[in-house]
Amino acid sequence: MRDVALKMLLGDRAKYIGLIFGVTFATLLMAQQVSIFTGIMSRTANAITSVREAEIWVMDPRVRYVDEVEPMRPVELSNVRSVAGVEWAVPHYKGLATVRLPDGMTQQVQLIGVDDVSLVGLCTDMIAGQRDVVRDPQSAVIDRNGFLFVWPQGDFATAKPLELNDNRLTVRGVCNTQPTFLTFPILYVTYDAAMEMTPPQRNKLPFILVKGRAGQSPEALAKRITQQTGLQALTTSQFQWRSINYYLERTGIPINFGITIALGAIIGAAITAQTFYIFVVENLKQFAAMKAVGVTNGQLLQIVLTQAGLVGVIGYGLGIGFTALFFFVTKDAPALQGFRLYGEIMAGTAIAIAVIILASILFSLGKVFRLDPAVVFRG
Amino acid sequence: MHAVSFRNIAKDFPIGDDRVRVLHDCSADIALGQMTMLVGPSGCGKTTLISILSGILTASEGEVTVLGQSLTRMRDHHKVLLRRERIGFIFQQYNLLPALTAAENAAMPLMAAGMKLPEAAERARAILDGIGMQGQGDKLPRQLSGGQQQRVAIARALVHNPGLIVCDEPTAALDAATGKAVMAILRDIANDPGRAVLVVTHDNRIYNFADRILEMSDGRLIGDFAPDAFQH
Ligand SMILES: Nc1ncnc2c1ncn2[C@@H]1O[C@H](COP(=O)(O)OP(=O)(O)OP(=O)(O)O)[C@@H](O)[C@H]1O
Ligand SMILES: [Mg+2]
């Protein structure tokens, strides 16, 4: 009967293509949108996870996500350092600033001030220049995407002069970074240089980065820091999830994506279900004849499941293929950099597609099952 | 043994909240090795009766025995198996699957019984060859004429070697010459002493192919004739 199922399906080329199109479309829309959504959500945490040396981020208790900056008193640095189990603790500046280019244009940047001794918090994957150029108070390192945004010709090795709040600064290094949620260029200087160049009244110590002594859990140390200093101390992954959750709860991003994903599922389901329904209804007379000559409902179910299975596998495969192709083609576009099609998303989409197809079948199969073979005798 | 024996068959159909009786007290025996025709005006109940005799519909009253098996208390699933193994069907509309070749269509009852497509199609091809369809087995229904499609339907009704072949208006969609050719094939089949062919028709041009004619009117069997004795 499986052969019959496939021949019936392939014999109706237009319906067959329509069915596959519906499934492909639903798969593509769901997989691609969920991937972009998770990509954007993980970007909100990239500023945290990219500082690999730090285990714990200490900040003002009011901070809810990584791009929110509340000042701490400078004395907190020594308070944190005095907590038992802290191997090291360094200041980390993070804030927005405006730079002026020689041609008079201005550009918003994310200014990162790193500890000038350890350079903790400075990107590591240099593609031009050396990391320690930042130790010179008049030099900076910039991220690759930021460099290309400001100087599209991409001459990474050429020193680039800038002005930041009337301080002259030269970009002497370029590094690869994971894109962050705020897409402004990332400019790295030392913490002290950041203090010099930013207005004195501004938030001065937004973060303290901490590494614990070997052999103790970061969670326990974070708890101890909070208890002793009254500050908010979070492990990297706690802070990461706090940031992600903030964006999930407080922004329209999840709703927006949710709507797109739901639309993909609904439209895909509608196309698939309707085409399948028409396919079955148009073949009803044939199904009745098959029943009359002794084909059982179980065999008809097998036929319909085989047809649905083939359409599902091909449509899903094409949809995932197109999604992967999309991310492959756009892998160098800064707007989509780091976005990937995760296995979990493929599995989730597969389940959603299976549900859509089974729902489509249920919809039309009732008609086949209830079909009275006596109708074949009617003209 | 008779091919079919039925006693006091009645059939009611629900019409809205009411029930309307379309068959009244029908009784007869259908012999093996014969072609029996069931004739009568449109709407008199011919199709309903053969649907009951072939296990597609269930009688409201009465007893039916087909090839020694009683249908009266038979479960639906067993009726499907009976149809699949012992009965062949030929409809006015050929009801062939458009995506399957002639041989594959004719092989359907064998596949329903679990035979693999290539083997089933091979057997069907042999049957097609025997009814003037040599070399047509790989054609799709749309590449065949009406008469050829009806031959495919005949092959489908024969492929599993059934004891009873039920035909509803097998010539109604065919021109006179083609209809006669199809009837000649059915006539041949009915000569087999292990088989009965039951043909519903109101095409008087083919009455002479029958061994026996049962006449129906208004849901009742009103006459039982040899063809040359039948006045119409
Ligand atoms: N499923 C049904 N529900 C209600 N009434 C039905 C049903 N099937 C048949 N009938 C009625 O039963 C009567 C007999 O119908 P049947 O189809 O058996 O006649 P027939 O002799 O085969 O006619 P024809 O020569 O036109 O094919 C008709 O009045 C028809 O309207
Ligand atoms: Mg009829």
Side-chain angles (χ1 to χ4, degrees):
Chain A
M1 281 295 145
R2 197 161 298 134
D3 299 326
V4 174
L6 298 183
K7 283 178 186 255
M8 273 177 86
L9 181 64
L10 302 182
D12 197 342
R13 203 53 63 85
K15 296 269 163 36
Y16 175 58
I17 290 170
L19 283 167
I20 287 181
F21 174 80
V23 177
T24 302
F25 178 80
T27 305
L28 174 65
L29 214 52
M30 286 193 281
Q32 193 232 30
Q33 290 296 306
V34 174
S35 296
I36 291 179
F37 176 68
T38 46
I40 287 179
M41 282 299 115
S42 63
R43 271 186 186 184
T44 65
N46 274 349
I48 302 165
T49 50
S50 61
V51 185
R52 292 214 184 81
E53 308 96 312
E55 291 175 348
I56 293 169
W57 289 60
V58 183
M59 68 211 84
D60 187 280
R62 286 168 296 180
V63 174
R64 291 164 299 175
Y65 63 102
V66 68
D67 292 311
E68 187 170 49
V69 176
E70 297 284 351
M72 293 184 291
R73 293 171 301 148
V75 68
E76 302 291 9
L77 183 58
S78 34
N79 290 346
V80 170
R81 281 175 175 158
S82 68
V83 173
V86 170
E87 161 117 21
W88 50 251
V90 297
H92 187 68
Y93 179 85
K94 197 168 166 306
L96 292 178
T98 306
V99 295
R100 181 184 294 277
L101 302 175
D103 60 7
M105 298 286 280
T106 58
Q107 170 65 48
Q108 277 265 54
V109 297
Q110 304 175 68
L111 185 64
I112 307 277
V114 303
D115 175 49
D116 53 358
V117 181
S118 63
L119 299 185
V120 166
L122 176 62
C123 54
T124 48
D125 181 11
M126 302 298 292
I127 57 172
Q130 300 295 321
R131 287 181 89 214
D132 56 11
V133 294
V134 296
R135 291 205 171 100
D136 169 6
Q138 298 203 326
S139 295
V141 169
I142 196 168
D143 73 299
R144 178 176 183 276
N145 289 337
F147 187 101
L148 289 173
F149 185 74
V150 183
W151 300 286
Q153 62 274 33
D155 47 342
F156 298 125
T158 317
K160 298 288 187 185
L162 297 171
E163 259 180 38
L164 198 162
N165 297 336
D166 297 326
N167 299 286
R168 291 156 71 62
L169 205 54
T170 308
V171 172
R172 293 185 195 281
V174 182
C175 62
N176 274 321
T177 58
Q178 294 291 320
T180 56
F181 187 66
L182 298 173
T183 49
F184 304 129
I186 307 170
L187 199 61
Y188 295 90
V189 295
T190 60
Y191 180 76
D192 294 336
M195 292 301 102
E196 287 292 314
M197 290 185 288
T198 51
Q201 75 277 11
R202 292 296 296 273
N203 315 319
K204 284 311 198 180
L205 181 52
F207 296 108
I208 300 169
L209 304 180
V210 175
K211 171 136 173 92
R213 296 226 160 85
Q216 65 176 336
S217 90
E219 287 79 10
L221 180 57
K223 217 171 252 170
R224 199 152 59 237
I225 295 172
T226 301
Q227 276 163 3
Q228 278 189 29
T229 62
L231 298 169
Q232 174 172 228
L234 300 171
T235 66
T236 306
S237 80
Q238 286 167 346
F239 190 26
Q240 175 187 353
W241 282 108
R242 187 170 164 86
S243 287
I244 289 176
N245 286 335
Y246 172 82
Y247 281 98
L248 287 177
E249 285 166 21
R250 296 304 177 88
T251 68
I253 299 170
I255 295 175
N256 239 314
F257 276 92
I259 290 171
T260 313
I261 293 161
L263 276 179
I266 290 168
I267 295 173
I271 296 176
T272 313
Q274 176 176 315
T275 317
F276 219 90
Y277 187 72
I278 294 174
F279 180 73
V280 167
V281 167
E282 283 186 355
N283 285 301
L284 221 46
K285 203 73 200 263
Q286 276 87 31
F287 282 129
M290 289 166 83
K291 280 177 107 161
V293 303
V295 176
T296 60
N297 274 343
Q299 288 171 320
L300 290 178
L301 175 67
Q302 190 197 348
I303 286 176
V304 172
L305 281 180
T306 304
Q307 292 170 341
L310 181 73
V311 164
V313 166
I314 294 179
Y316 172 80
L318 283 176
I320 290 292
F322 283 133
T323 310
L325 186 68
F326 171 83
F327 287 117
F328 179 76
V329 168
T330 59
K331 70 182 190 307
D332 291 325
L336 295 169
Q337 201 178 14
F339 288 7
R340 290 182 40 205
L341 179 58
Y342 291 96
E344 290 89 336
I345 296 174
M346 296 206 283
T349 310
I351 292 170
I353 291 295
V355 169
I356 287 176
I357 290 180
L358 286 177
S360 311
I361 293 179
L362 281 184
F363 197 52
S364 33
L365 212 57
K367 252 194 141 55
V368 176
F369 278 12
R370 282 191 303 274
L371 184 65
D372 185 349
V375 306
V376 286
F377 286 131
R378 316 253 161 255
Chain B
M1 187 177 71
H2 294 295
V4 185
S5 269
F6 53 102
R7 292 288 174 277
N8 314 112
I9 295 296
K11 179 68 181 172
D12 300 330
F13 284 117
I15 301 281
D17 288 341
D18 268 352
R19 302 184 71 77
V20 52
R21 179 152 290 200
V22 304
L23 292 181
H24 306 265
D25 198 25
C26 296
S27 304
D29 295 319
I30 311 279
L32 284 166
Q34 284 198 348
M35 176 181 288
T36 306
M37 280 190 191
L38 191 58
V39 306
S42 186
C44 71
K46 305 182 296 290
T47 297
T48 306
L49 182 57
I50 60 155
S51 300
I52 290 171
L53 302 185
S54 56
I56 285 180
L57 289 178
T58 304
S60 307
E61 291 172 16
E63 304 275 328
V64 183
T65 305
V66 176
L67 300 165
Q69 299 191 45
S70 167
L71 297 190
T72 314
R73 269 168 297 278
M74 191 182 276
R75 307 252 230 92
D76 279 354
H77 183 65
H78 287 120
K79 288 186 185 166
V80 174
L81 298 185
L82 176 77
R83 293 205 298 270
R84 182 163 95 188
E85 279 149 25
R86 313 293 306 276
I87 305 177
F89 289 92
I90 297 167
F91 315 106
Q92 174 178 340
Q93 306 294 318
Y94 325 116
N95 286 312
L96 304 175
L97 290 177
L100 300 193
T101 64
E104 290 163 351
N105 264 295
M108 185 62 70
L110 295 178
M111 288 189 283
M115 196 183 282
K116 292 262 167 281
L117 177 63
E119 189 190 346
E122 213 35 64
R123 293 214 194 169
R125 221 181 293 273
I127 305 278
L128 284 168
D129 288 350
I131 55 172
M133 291 283 286
Q134 296 88 341
Q136 311 288 316
D138 291 330
K139 291 197 173 156
L140 293 172
R142 68 179 138 78
Q143 297 167 312
L144 299 173
S145 71
Q148 289 174 316
Q149 290 187 53
Q150 193 60 302
R151 283 171 206 241
V152 175
I154 292 173
R156 182 176 64 190
L158 292 179
V159 73
H160 52 308
N161 202 17
L164 172 64
I165 291 151
V166 174
C167 318
D168 196 3
E169 315 270 8
T171 58
L174 303 175
D175 63 72
T178 315
K180 287 218 161 93
V182 163
M183 284 313 294
I185 295 168
L186 293 174
R187 174 68 257 169
D188 229 31
I189 296 164
N191 290 339
D192 179 338
R195 278 190 179 146
V197 177
L198 180 57
V199 178
V200 163
T201 187
H202 37 18
D203 181 355
N204 55 23
R205 297 168 301 186
I206 63 170
Y207 288 172
N208 57 319
F209 285 96
D211 295 305
R212 177 188 178 198
I213 294 178
L214 295 175
E215 188 181 12
M216 269 190 103
S217 173
D218 261 346
R220 292 171 202 278
L221 282 171
I222 56 163
D224 185 346
F225 307 93
D228 40 3
F230 184 55
Q231 305 299 315
H232 43 83

